[in-house]
Amino acid sequence: MIITLKKSTPQVEIDRLTEQFENFGVKVQYLEGRDYKLMGLAGDTTHFYESDIKANEWVVNVQRIAAPYKLANRMFHPEDTIVEVGNIRIGAGQPVAIIAGPCAVESEEGVCRIAEEVKKAGAAMLRGGAYKPRTSPYSFQGMKTAGVLALEEAGRRNGLPIVSELMSVDKLDEFAEHVDLVQIGARNMQNFDLLKAVGSINKPVLLKRGLSATIEEWIMSAEYIMAAGNPNVILCERGIRTFERMTRNTLDLAVIPIIREKTHLPIIIDPSHATGDWKLIEPISLAAIAAGADGLIIEVHDHPEQALSDGAQSLKPEKFAELIRKGRLVAQAIGREL
Ligand code: PEP
Ligand code: MN
């Protein structure tokens, strides 16, 4: 970290700052420039926050050299993390994992029917929301506990591990008991109490990127979960808010190589929430596989026009099966299984 100080900074202030930083175990080097004074901090600076240091009236600028995250950082953990969910392994070099299912669990029969279809098509895991983060309080809010149990039953019958979204800490035990992969939704990416809570359980976590989160903020949220004791985090890009209105969100596919470089965690893509349009799911999914995604999470419904949420972006089972067939060819072309 490099701190730029005003040329007029008194020596007593420099001594005080030096002592303050050294107390945290970092080494401080001082350089007197022509127009400014500079302090270089070497060592673990993750405990320092740029804006706290900028509060000092003598400080002109603070520049971080090392990333503010440690546990998620590829630099300190060069090997790829492979996250195991039931019998499925997700991560670099593993087969591309396809997670599919309805946006929301609507009934046990319904989710069992869709589970059978996605299993037949080649999905590795079943998704389905039981607690839904809806923009309107008047929209379907999910089947809650009954939905979790119905999803569990559908997964059990078809031999598919299940993923579902946890919205609040008070349902942590329910998820730890019944859900194989705990999803933290975009809207809760910076719900730090929830992140710490899922950090304390022995279940892998699917962490979606927040609606307007930078990549670094997203990685810092993974760091929260890891710092609380849970190393099994999968990152999921689901599009971000931009000025563009032709798609529900704007998919940032560049995150695949960026996350791969900055972290050792698996990265998957959600083309459904990224585009909001079933017609765009196939091309975007194929592009994500080609770009090296470790998996996809796709909404599938057998009667999208009757779906209680996100019907417009849900694929019918036949289209989903076709997507998997094409996805296999793309995966093969880059030397990967699916
Ligand atoms: C979902 O997966 O159903 C969902 C609500 O996703 P997101 O949090 O990405 O909007
Ligand atoms: Mn949805």
Side-chain angles (χ1 to χ4, degrees):
M1 184 175 265
I2 296 174
I3 301 170
T4 308
L5 299 158
K6 287 180 191 163
K7 183 80 175 170
S8 53
T9 309
Q11 188 57 41
V12 2
E13 186 59 22
I14 290 169
D15 292 343
R16 199 192 61 74
L17 277 169
T18 303
E19 194 188 332
Q20 183 190 322
F21 294 132
E22 283 178 346
N23 283 342
F24 275 94
V26 300
K27 262 176 69 182
V28 181
Q29 292 229 326
Y30 176 72
L31 182 70
E32 177 109 29
R34 196 195 65 180
D35 301 319
Y36 297 102
K37 291 172 172 172
L38 299 173
M39 290 176 98
L41 272 50
D44 181 3
T45 56
T46 47
H47 293 283
F48 303 138
Y49 197 53
E50 290 96 309
S51 60
D52 291 346
I53 300 171
K54 275 191 193 151
N56 186 309
E57 61 176 310
W58 301 104
V59 172
V60 179
N61 189 36
V62 180
Q63 184 159 13
R64 186 177 276 289
I65 309 296
Y69 46 87
K70 222 163 35 174
L71 299 171
N73 197 330
R74 169 79 78 184
M75 197 186 278
F76 307 118
H77 188 293
E79 323 80 57
D80 294 300
T81 284
I82 307 298
V83 175
E84 293 187 19
V85 187
N87 55 345
I88 305 297
R89 289 164 59 82
I90 303 186
Q94 302 300 309
V96 180
I98 309 293
I99 307 170
C103 175
V105 178
E106 298 170 357
S107 68
E108 186 175 307
E109 314 79 74
V111 73
C112 284
R113 246 186 0 252
I114 297 170
E116 209 181 310
E117 295 276 9
V118 300
K119 169 76 181 189
K120 203 168 65 188
M125 224 181 282
L126 178 66
R127 65 149 288 146
Y131 298 89
K132 295 303 303 174
R134 305 306 298 280
T135 301
S136 165
Y138 309 116
S139 299
F140 177 56
Q141 302 287 304
M143 287 177 67
K144 316 215 163 55
T145 302
V148 170
L149 298 179
L151 186 70
E152 185 182 33
E153 177 59 19
R156 193 194 59 75
R157 281 195 209 168
N158 294 282
L160 295 170
I162 58 167
V163 52
S164 200
E165 177 172 351
L166 174 68
M167 288 216 304
S168 67
V169 177
D170 63 319
K171 297 296 181 296
L172 188 69
D173 291 345
E174 180 176 302
F175 276 62
E177 187 178 345
H178 300 287
V179 174
D180 301 300
L181 175 60
V182 179
Q183 177 174 325
I184 299 298
R187 292 155 192 80
N188 273 315
M189 190 205 82
Q190 283 190 320
N191 180 338
F192 299 114
D193 281 343
L194 193 58
L195 298 178
K196 286 183 211 163
V198 294
S200 73
I201 58 171
N202 192 19
K203 282 284 167 87
V205 178
L206 182 68
L207 178 65
K208 288 198 152 192
R209 182 178 181 181
L211 281 74
S212 300
T214 65
I215 296 173
E216 189 168 281
E217 285 164 345
W218 183 25
I219 300 174
M220 288 304 279
S221 290
E223 186 83 5
Y224 254 94
I225 299 170
M226 299 171 89
N230 190 344
N232 295 309
V233 180
I234 300 169
L235 296 167
C236 176
E237 161 70 35
R238 43 78 74 207
I240 46 174
R241 265 304 165 98
T242 69
F243 52 83
E244 183 53 62
R245 296 270 62 90
M246 291 248 185
T247 48
R248 181 174 176 180
N249 290 291
T250 297
L251 180 64
D252 182 5
L253 270 188
V255 300
I256 298 171
I258 293 172
I259 288 292
R260 189 86 71 215
E261 182 194 323
K262 304 284 179 201
T263 84
H264 48 88
L265 301 172
I267 166 77
I268 75 165
I269 299 294
D270 174 346
S272 308
H273 294 89
T275 64
D277 181 347
W278 69 269
K279 294 189 285 308
L280 302 178
I281 307 300
E282 183 182 293
I284 292 306
S285 297
L286 299 180
I289 296 170
D294 298 317
L296 299 171
I297 179 164
I298 299 174
E299 289 184 341
V300 175
H301 199 289
D302 49 0
H303 296 96
E305 65 288 350
Q306 287 164 25
L308 297 181
S309 67
D310 287 350
Q313 65 192 37
S314 297
L315 280 185
K316 289 188 179 164
E318 316 82 79
K319 290 269 180 230
F320 174 67
E322 199 179 315
L323 158 56
I324 293 228
R325 282 194 292 276
K326 292 184 186 166
R328 285 212 172 101
L329 298 175
V330 176
Q332 228 172 44
I334 59 160
R336 208 153 173 194
E337 283 174 51
L338 181 156

PDB file of all heavy atoms in Angstrom, residues 102-104 127 132 248 272-273 299 309-310 313, ligand 2:
ATOM      1  N   PRO A 102     -37.123 -25.214 -11.954  1.00  0.00           N
ATOM      2  CA  PRO A 102     -37.989 -24.032 -12.014  1.00  0.00           C
ATOM      3  C   PRO A 102     -37.426 -22.879 -11.192  1.00  0.00           C
ATOM      4  O   PRO A 102     -36.633 -23.108 -10.273  1.00  0.00           O
ATOM      5  CB  PRO A 102     -39.288 -24.540 -11.390  1.00  0.00           C
ATOM      6  CG  PRO A 102     -38.859 -25.632 -10.453  1.00  0.00           C
ATOM      7  CD  PRO A 102     -37.684 -26.283 -11.114  1.00  0.00           C
ATOM      8  N   CYS A 103     -37.857 -21.665 -11.534  1.00  0.00           N
ATOM      9  CA  CYS A 103     -37.484 -20.514 -10.712  1.00  0.00           C
ATOM     10  C   CYS A 103     -37.946 -20.793  -9.291  1.00  0.00           C
ATOM     11  O   CYS A 103     -37.164 -20.771  -8.353  1.00  0.00           O
ATOM     12  CB  CYS A 103     -38.143 -19.252 -11.259  1.00  0.00           C
ATOM     13  SG  CYS A 103     -37.865 -17.804 -10.240  1.00  0.00           S
ATOM     14  N   ALA A 104     -39.256 -21.091  -9.164  1.00  0.00           N
ATOM     15  CA  ALA A 104     -39.822 -21.361  -7.846  1.00  0.00           C
ATOM     16  C   ALA A 104     -40.442 -22.761  -7.820  1.00  0.00           C
ATOM     17  O   ALA A 104     -40.999 -23.216  -8.830  1.00  0.00           O
ATOM     18  CB  ALA A 104     -40.906 -20.337  -7.529  1.00  0.00           C
ATOM     19  N   ARG A 127     -32.458 -27.089  -9.312  1.00  0.00           N
ATOM     20  CA  ARG A 127     -32.681 -25.821  -8.627  1.00  0.00           C
ATOM     21  C   ARG A 127     -34.168 -25.618  -8.379  1.00  0.00           C
ATOM     22  O   ARG A 127     -35.016 -26.243  -9.038  1.00  0.00           O
ATOM     23  CB  ARG A 127     -32.120 -24.631  -9.407  1.00  0.00           C
ATOM     24  CG  ARG A 127     -32.785 -24.339 -10.747  1.00  0.00           C
ATOM     25  CD  ARG A 127     -32.771 -22.843 -11.092  1.00  0.00           C
ATOM     26  NE  ARG A 127     -33.700 -22.096 -10.254  1.00  0.00           N
ATOM     27  CZ  ARG A 127     -33.529 -20.864  -9.831  1.00  0.00           C
ATOM     28  NH1 ARG A 127     -32.448 -20.194 -10.181  1.00  0.00           N
ATOM     29  NH2 ARG A 127     -34.431 -20.259  -9.068  1.00  0.00           N
ATOM     30  N   LYS A 132     -38.822 -16.752  -2.127  1.00  0.00           N
ATOM     31  CA  LYS A 132     -38.519 -15.968  -3.314  1.00  0.00           C
ATOM     32  C   LYS A 132     -38.360 -14.479  -3.013  1.00  0.00           C
ATOM     33  O   LYS A 132     -39.250 -13.874  -2.423  1.00  0.00           O
ATOM     34  CB  LYS A 132     -39.654 -16.134  -4.346  1.00  0.00           C
ATOM     35  CG  LYS A 132     -39.801 -17.541  -4.906  1.00  0.00           C
ATOM     36  CD  LYS A 132     -38.532 -18.075  -5.569  1.00  0.00           C
ATOM     37  CE  LYS A 132     -38.015 -17.218  -6.689  1.00  0.00           C
ATOM     38  NZ  LYS A 132     -36.694 -17.734  -7.192  1.00  0.00           N
ATOM     39  N   ARG A 248     -32.899  -8.193 -19.360  1.00  0.00           N
ATOM     40  CA  ARG A 248     -33.259  -7.910 -17.959  1.00  0.00           C
ATOM     41  C   ARG A 248     -32.057  -7.336 -17.208  1.00  0.00           C
ATOM     42  O   ARG A 248     -32.168  -6.419 -16.399  1.00  0.00           O
ATOM     43  CB  ARG A 248     -33.723  -9.230 -17.323  1.00  0.00           C
ATOM     44  CG  ARG A 248     -34.153  -9.094 -15.876  1.00  0.00           C
ATOM     45  CD  ARG A 248     -34.748 -10.401 -15.356  1.00  0.00           C
ATOM     46  NE  ARG A 248     -35.061 -10.301 -13.949  1.00  0.00           N
ATOM     47  CZ  ARG A 248     -35.595 -11.280 -13.233  1.00  0.00           C
ATOM     48  NH1 ARG A 248     -35.891 -12.447 -13.798  1.00  0.00           N
ATOM     49  NH2 ARG A 248     -35.849 -11.115 -11.950  1.00  0.00           N
ATOM     50  N   SER A 272     -30.310 -17.206 -17.289  1.00  0.00           N
ATOM     51  CA  SER A 272     -31.747 -16.921 -17.158  1.00  0.00           C
ATOM     52  C   SER A 272     -31.984 -15.531 -16.581  1.00  0.00           C
ATOM     53  O   SER A 272     -32.672 -14.697 -17.188  1.00  0.00           O
ATOM     54  CB  SER A 272     -32.412 -17.981 -16.271  1.00  0.00           C
ATOM     55  OG  SER A 272     -32.110 -19.279 -16.738  1.00  0.00           O
ATOM     56  N   HIS A 273     -31.401 -15.256 -15.393  1.00  0.00           N
ATOM     57  CA  HIS A 273     -31.592 -13.934 -14.795  1.00  0.00           C
ATOM     58  C   HIS A 273     -30.766 -12.880 -15.523  1.00  0.00           C
ATOM     59  O   HIS A 273     -31.101 -11.700 -15.500  1.00  0.00           O
ATOM     60  CB  HIS A 273     -31.282 -13.976 -13.296  1.00  0.00           C
ATOM     61  CG  HIS A 273     -32.262 -14.835 -12.556  1.00  0.00           C
ATOM     62  ND1 HIS A 273     -32.065 -16.178 -12.382  1.00  0.00           N
ATOM     63  CD2 HIS A 273     -33.476 -14.558 -12.018  1.00  0.00           C
ATOM     64  CE1 HIS A 273     -33.115 -16.695 -11.759  1.00  0.00           C
ATOM     65  NE2 HIS A 273     -33.995 -15.739 -11.521  1.00  0.00           N
ATOM     66  N   GLU A 299     -33.124 -21.806 -15.659  1.00  0.00           N
ATOM     67  CA  GLU A 299     -34.518 -22.030 -15.265  1.00  0.00           C
ATOM     68  C   GLU A 299     -35.260 -22.810 -16.345  1.00  0.00           C
ATOM     69  O   GLU A 299     -35.242 -22.437 -17.524  1.00  0.00           O
ATOM     70  CB  GLU A 299     -35.202 -20.690 -14.961  1.00  0.00           C
ATOM     71  CG  GLU A 299     -34.639 -20.112 -13.665  1.00  0.00           C
ATOM     72  CD  GLU A 299     -35.284 -18.833 -13.178  1.00  0.00           C
ATOM     73  OE1 GLU A 299     -35.936 -18.135 -13.985  1.00  0.00           O
ATOM     74  OE2 GLU A 299     -35.111 -18.529 -11.980  1.00  0.00           O
ATOM     75  N   SER A 309     -43.417 -17.596 -11.373  1.00  0.00           N
ATOM     76  CA  SER A 309     -42.377 -16.564 -11.474  1.00  0.00           C
ATOM     77  C   SER A 309     -41.418 -16.894 -12.614  1.00  0.00           C
ATOM     78  O   SER A 309     -41.144 -18.068 -12.893  1.00  0.00           O
ATOM     79  CB  SER A 309     -41.610 -16.398 -10.158  1.00  0.00           C
ATOM     80  OG  SER A 309     -40.849 -17.529  -9.873  1.00  0.00           O
ATOM     81  N   ASP A 310     -40.935 -15.843 -13.260  1.00  0.00           N
ATOM     82  CA  ASP A 310     -39.900 -15.936 -14.307  1.00  0.00           C
ATOM     83  C   ASP A 310     -40.221 -16.882 -15.470  1.00  0.00           C
ATOM     84  O   ASP A 310     -39.296 -17.482 -16.056  1.00  0.00           O
ATOM     85  CB  ASP A 310     -38.551 -16.307 -13.669  1.00  0.00           C
ATOM     86  CG  ASP A 310     -37.946 -15.126 -12.904  1.00  0.00           C
ATOM     87  OD1 ASP A 310     -38.473 -13.997 -13.027  1.00  0.00           O
ATOM     88  OD2 ASP A 310     -36.964 -15.336 -12.178  1.00  0.00           O
ATOM     89  N   GLN A 313     -38.377 -16.283 -18.932  1.00  0.00           N
ATOM     90  CA  GLN A 313     -36.971 -16.670 -19.118  1.00  0.00           C
ATOM     91  C   GLN A 313     -36.779 -18.171 -18.923  1.00  0.00           C
ATOM     92  O   GLN A 313     -35.633 -18.649 -18.918  1.00  0.00           O
ATOM     93  CB  GLN A 313     -36.073 -15.883 -18.150  1.00  0.00           C
ATOM     94  CG  GLN A 313     -36.324 -16.205 -16.673  1.00  0.00           C
ATOM     95  CD  GLN A 313     -35.651 -15.211 -15.736  1.00  0.00           C
ATOM     96  OE1 GLN A 313     -35.595 -14.018 -16.030  1.00  0.00           O
ATOM     97  NE2 GLN A 313     -35.138 -15.684 -14.625  1.00  0.00           N
TER      98      GLN A 313
HETATM   99 MN    MN B   2     -35.956 -16.719 -11.153  1.00  0.00          MN
END
